[in-house]
Structure formats: structure tokens, C-alpha cells
């Protein structure tokens, strides 16, 4: 896989910032969970497509509802992105669920449980 150029890295950062702004303040869909964040964005070098990795703090149903809400608002989000960022092409956005934050929280909880059990065994 090719390493991202400086221009592509800048475009990714700018699109990520604008997407998170649009999702937080621009969309009024009740399906979209208020604790939704844009973890990372990968814009193709030709600026035609974009993968946006979304993290939702909530249960499985909240994650599915948020993805459905974002997919239905895709046209609005793309239009707002075109207004806010001056790119040659406005990328077509695909929203993907990112489980890494949830995975990290679960691993941290498991480590805390193991540490708690080991300190309880030492005191016995």
C-alpha cells in the first residue's frame, strides 16, 4: 500500500474536521446518537471516494441506528462538505463503524478486573 502524501494527509484531516462538525451541529436526525465521533477519514488520492470511520458510544442498537441515519443523510453531508471545503471533487462518503474505542474500553476493564483479583489474593 502506498504511503499517503502530505497533501492527502492534509485533505484527510480537513475532511475529518468538517465531517465531525456537520454531524454534531448540522444533522437533526433523531437516529444519530449524540455521542458520535469521526475517528478517522481516508480520502482516495483522486478525491472520488472517502471512508469515514465512525465511533458511537452506546449499545449495538444505537450504533446501527446511527449508521442508518448517516447513510440517509449522505447527500446532505456531501453537499455541506462541498460548501465548506474547496476541493476539485467532493468525495462520495461511505460510513464505517469503528470498534477500536469500544474494544479498548473492554480491554481496560478486563485488565482492571485481573489487577483487582490479584490484589485481593495478596491480601488473603
Amino acid at each position: 500500500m502506498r504511503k499517503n502524501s502530505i497533501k492527502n494527509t492534509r485533505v484527510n484531516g480537513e475532511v475529518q474536521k468538517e465531517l465531525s462538525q456537520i454531524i454534531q451541529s448540522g444533522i437533526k436526525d433523531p437516529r444519530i446518537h449524540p455521542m458520535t465521533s469521526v475517528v478517522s477519514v481516508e480520502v482516495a488520492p483522486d478525491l472520488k471516494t472517502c471512508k469515514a470511520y465512525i465511533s458511537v458510544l452506546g449499545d449495538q442498537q444505537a450504533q446501527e441506528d446511527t449508521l442508518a441515519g448517516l447513510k440517509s443523510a449522505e447527500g446532505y453531508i456531501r453537499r455541506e462538505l462541498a460548501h465548506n471545503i474547496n476541493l476539485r471533487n467532493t468525495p462520495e462518503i461511505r460510513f464505517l463503524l469503528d470498534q477500536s474505542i469500544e474494544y479498548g474500553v473492554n480491554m481496560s476493564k478486563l485488565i482492571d478486573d485481573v489487577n483487582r483479583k490479584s490484589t485481593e489474593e495478596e491480601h488473603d
Side-chain angles (χ1 to χ4, degrees):
M1 185 163 168
R2 257 182 4 133
K3 186 177 177 185
N4 279 350
S5 67
I6 294 171
K7 177 187 170 205
N8 200 356
T9 304
R10 271 198 318 248
V11 169
N12 288 346
E14 192 65 28
V15 169
Q16 179 180 355
K17 188 172 78 172
E18 286 298 326
L19 273 180
S20 61
Q21 184 72 27
I22 292 167
I23 289 172
Q24 292 300 319
S25 61
I27 302 176
K28 305 291 189 246
D29 194 330
R31 293 178 290 183
I32 297 174
H33 197 271
M35 294 297 290
T36 301
S37 60
V38 180
V39 178
S40 69
V41 171
E42 292 177 7
V43 179
D46 63 353
L47 303 176
K48 299 273 188 205
T49 60
C50 168
K51 292 180 188 173
Y53 295 94
I54 305 296
S55 176
V56 180
L57 188 64
D59 60 348
Q60 185 71 28
Q61 186 62 41
Q63 293 173 354
E64 291 171 4
D65 289 347
T66 299
L67 271 182
L70 288 173
K71 284 183 179 161
S72 71
E74 214 170 88
Y76 169 78
I77 294 171
R78 189 173 180 197
R79 186 171 61 246
E80 287 297 309
L81 196 62
H83 287 303
N84 296 338
I85 299 179
N86 186 18
L87 293 174
R88 185 173 57 240
N89 296 319
T90 304
E92 190 174 314
I93 306 165
R94 268 190 26 226
F95 292 103
L96 303 168
L97 197 58
D98 183 41
Q99 304 281 352
S100 63
I101 294 175
E102 184 179 337
Y103 178 77
V105 168
N106 287 338
M107 289 305 289
S108 178
K109 183 177 173 249
L110 290 173
I111 290 170
D112 290 343
D113 289 346
V114 168
N115 286 337
R116 193 176 314 112
K117 286 180 183 175
S118 67
T119 56
E120 288 174 359
E121 289 176 0
E122 288 177 4
H123 289 22
D124 288 341

